[in-house]
Amino acid sequence: MLLSVLNYVGMAVFAASGALIGVRKRLDAFGIWTLAVLTGLGGGVARDLLLGITPPTTFKGWENLTVTSVAAFVVFFFHPQFGSLRRTVDVLDAFGVALFASTGALLAVHADTSPLAAALIGVTTGLGGGILRDVLVNEVPLLLRGGELVAVPALVGAGLTVAVDQAGGGEVWALVVGTSVAFFFRVIVMWRGWTAPYAPDNAWAGIAGLARRRRDRPTP
């Protein structure tokens, strides 16, 4: 029950972030709805395909489409109340990634995958919708943008979810710990401006220079 509720929350959050991007890109009503639905459902579809669930559970029943459509409707009419679109999208995206990474990892564990596979499927679930959203609006996906640390918090959260569940902590604690750590980790990354390292211009020259300096250092 809890897992299902959190999945709906994750879909709504991701759908809202997709709709806000649509508003920022000045799409029409149908474009905003399409972007919201695909963003909200993309991660779940990727998860189900990796787990061999066909057709994906996302397309079964009316609930998933209804949740994402309601989120799109709310954003379409009340987007001014969300304040700064860019910052709101970033926070919603951080929470959506954290929540979907944890729920995706737990669902993978329930499908009898290995702990490592479950964590990686969780990351894919968390990032899938956002990647699809960014590609559709012709933006570089956040995962690949300017050293952004997106996958690392998701992987930490998914890994903790699996670890707590495997240690007997229970489904609730696994989701709470995994989602909270991934979300706050991502928020701290955005606040502090931390980035992943870039490729050095000439690593070999740096190593050779360091070795030369050590060699030429006078012996005491």
Side-chain angles (χ1 to χ4, degrees):
M1 179 62 180
L2 176 64
L3 199 54
S4 297
V5 171
L6 289 178
N7 261 320
Y8 291 140
V9 172
M11 289 177 196
V13 168
F14 262 133
S17 77
L20 284 169
I21 290 288
V23 171
R24 185 160 60 87
K25 292 290 185 178
R26 302 300 299 165
L27 302 182
D28 62 17
F30 183 75
I32 291 171
W33 176 81
T34 301
L35 196 61
V37 170
L38 292 178
T39 305
L41 303 183
V45 172
R47 176 200 64 217
D48 290 346
L49 292 177
L50 287 173
L51 292 175
I53 302 173
T54 53
T57 55
T58 300
F59 300 134
K60 296 178 181 178
W62 54 269
E63 297 89 349
N64 297 337
L65 185 60
T66 300
V67 167
T68 52
S69 296
V70 168
F73 177 87
V74 171
V75 170
F76 182 81
F77 285 102
F78 301 106
H79 64 86
Q81 280 65 48
F82 282 86
S84 171
L85 289 182
R86 186 74 219 181
R87 181 53 58 189
T88 304
V89 169
D90 287 343
V91 173
L92 287 175
D93 198 67
F95 184 70
V97 168
L99 186 56
F100 261 26
S102 299
T103 57
L106 197 58
L107 284 169
V109 169
H110 290 175
D112 296 326
T113 62
S114 69
L116 177 59
L120 294 177
I121 289 173
V123 174
T124 303
T125 307
L127 298 178
I131 291 174
L132 181 59
R133 176 199 65 209
D134 292 341
V135 169
L136 287 173
V137 295
N138 199 30
E139 287 190 359
V140 177
L142 190 62
L143 176 65
L144 305 176
R145 196 183 305 158
E148 291 271 3
L149 281 174
V150 180
V152 174
L155 182 58
V156 171
L160 281 174
T161 301
V162 174
V164 172
D165 183 73
Q166 294 288 293
E171 179 181 290
V172 174
W173 276 111
L175 289 172
V176 168
V177 171
T179 302
S180 300
V181 170
F183 175 65
F184 286 111
F185 188 179
R186 175 63 185 147
V187 168
I188 291 172
V189 165
M190 292 190 295
W191 173 50
R192 301 293 296 176
W194 293 342
T195 63
Y198 291 88
D201 293 330
N202 193 337
W204 177 250
I207 295 172
L210 179 61
R212 187 164 52 251
R213 286 193 297 272
R214 290 179 64 88
R215 185 190 59 204
D216 296 340
R217 185 182 300 168
T219 304

